C-alpha cells in the first residue's frame, strides 16, 4: 500500500523518481525500491517524504491513493517556465558582471592615462650612462609606448561593450 501511494502521489505531483530522490537526498534507486515494495523508508525518511510530496504521513500510510493523471502538457510547460526564468536570470547576471568589468576596465585606462600625463615621462631625464638605469628607462618607455598605442583601441572596444550590454533584450 505504501509503495503504491508513494508512486501515485509522486506522479500526481509531476515528479520523476530522480527529482524526488534529489529532494530527499537519496539515490534514485532508493525511491525505485520503495515504489516496488522492495524496501520501506524509516520513520524520519517517511516524514521527509511526506514533506517533499506535500502529503500527510497518514495519507502515505493509508488507503490506496487513486493516481491522479497529471496534465502532462501543463506539468512540462510549468517546468519549462521555471527553466526559462532561471536561464533569463543567469543571462542578466552574466550581462551585469561583464558590464561591470568593462566599466572597471575603462575607468582603469582613464586613471592610467591621467597618471602618465601627470608624470610626464620622468624617465626621459634620467642618466642613461648607468646600465641598470638604461634598462629600466627603456622598459618604462616601451611599456608607456605600448599602453598609449593599445589603450585607445581597448577603451573603444570596452565602451562599445558597455553600450551593447546596457541595451534591453527585445525578446
Amino acid at each position: 500500500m505504501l509503495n503504491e501511494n508513494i508512486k501515485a502521489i509522486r506522479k500526481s505531483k509531476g515528479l520523476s523518481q530522480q527529482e524526488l530522490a534529489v529532494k530527499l537526498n537519496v539515490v534514485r534507486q532508493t525511491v525505485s525500491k520503495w515504489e516496488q515494495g522492495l524496501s520501506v523508508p524509516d520513520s524520519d525518511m517517511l516524514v521527509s517524504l511526506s514533506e517533499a510530496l506535500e502529503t500527510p504521513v497518514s495519507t502515505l500510510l493509508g488507503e490506496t491513493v487513486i493516481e491522479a493523471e497529471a496534465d502532462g502538457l501543463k506539468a512540462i510547460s510549468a517546468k519549462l517556465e521555471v527553466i526559462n526564468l532561471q536561464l533569463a536570470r543567469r543571462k542578466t547576471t552574466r550581462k551585469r558582471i561583464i558590464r561591470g568589468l568593462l566599466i572597471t576596465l575603462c575607468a582603469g585606462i582613464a586613471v592610467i592615462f591621467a597618471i602618465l600625463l601627470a608624470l610626464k615621462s620622468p624617465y626621459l631625464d634620467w642618466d642613461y650612462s648607468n646600465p641598470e638605469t638604461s634598462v629600466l628607462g627603456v622598459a618604462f618607455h616601451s611599456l608607456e609606448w605600448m599602453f598609449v598605442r593599445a589603450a585607445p583601441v581597448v577603451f573603444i572596444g570596452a565602451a562599445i561593450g558597455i553600450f551593447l550590454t546596457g541595451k534591453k533584450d527585445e525578446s
Side-chain angles (χ1 to χ4, degrees):
M1 194 179 315
L2 174 64
N3 60 335
E4 296 165 357
N5 289 349
I6 293 172
K7 185 175 184 177
I9 294 169
R10 175 185 59 80
K11 285 187 172 185
S12 72
K13 299 288 182 181
L15 294 172
S16 67
Q17 286 182 345
Q18 181 66 38
E19 291 168 329
L20 180 58
V22 168
K23 284 186 172 191
L24 298 171
N25 292 323
V26 297
V27 294
R28 184 200 57 77
Q29 288 81 357
T30 302
V31 175
S32 176
K33 286 180 181 179
W34 293 339
E35 290 182 358
Q36 293 174 22
L38 300 175
S39 68
V40 292
D42 63 16
S43 59
D44 291 333
M45 187 55 71
L46 197 56
V47 171
S48 298
L49 187 59
S50 74
E51 290 171 357
L53 293 174
E54 300 170 351
T55 304
V57 175
S58 59
T59 303
L60 286 173
L61 296 172
E63 293 298 315
T64 304
V65 176
I66 298 172
E67 189 173 323
E69 288 295 320
D71 185 5
L73 188 56
K74 188 175 180 181
I76 290 172
S77 71
K79 287 180 182 181
L80 284 175
E81 183 178 353
V82 169
I83 291 170
N84 281 336
L85 287 172
Q86 290 172 346
L87 289 174
R89 279 191 218 121
R90 283 185 192 166
K91 183 178 178 183
T92 303
T93 303
R94 199 173 297 132
K95 276 177 91 173
R96 285 182 184 151
I97 290 171
I98 290 172
R99 183 176 171 86
L101 290 172
L102 291 173
I103 290 171
T104 304
L105 178 64
C106 285
I109 289 172
V111 167
I112 292 172
F113 260 115
I115 290 170
L116 289 175
L117 283 174
L119 292 177
K120 297 181 185 176
S121 304
Y123 58 84
L124 294 177
D125 298 331
W126 292 356
D127 177 22
Y128 283 92
S129 60
N130 183 351
E132 287 87 14
T133 307
S134 298
V135 170
L136 194 57
V138 169
F140 277 133
H141 181 70
S142 61
L143 286 173
E144 182 180 357
W145 185 85
M146 286 175 40
F147 180 80
V148 168
R149 300 299 184 276
V153 175
V154 173
F155 186 86
I156 291 169
I160 291 170
I162 291 169
F163 174 74
L164 292 176
T165 56
K167 291 176 76 175
K168 297 286 182 193
D169 289 332
E170 285 118 28
S171 54

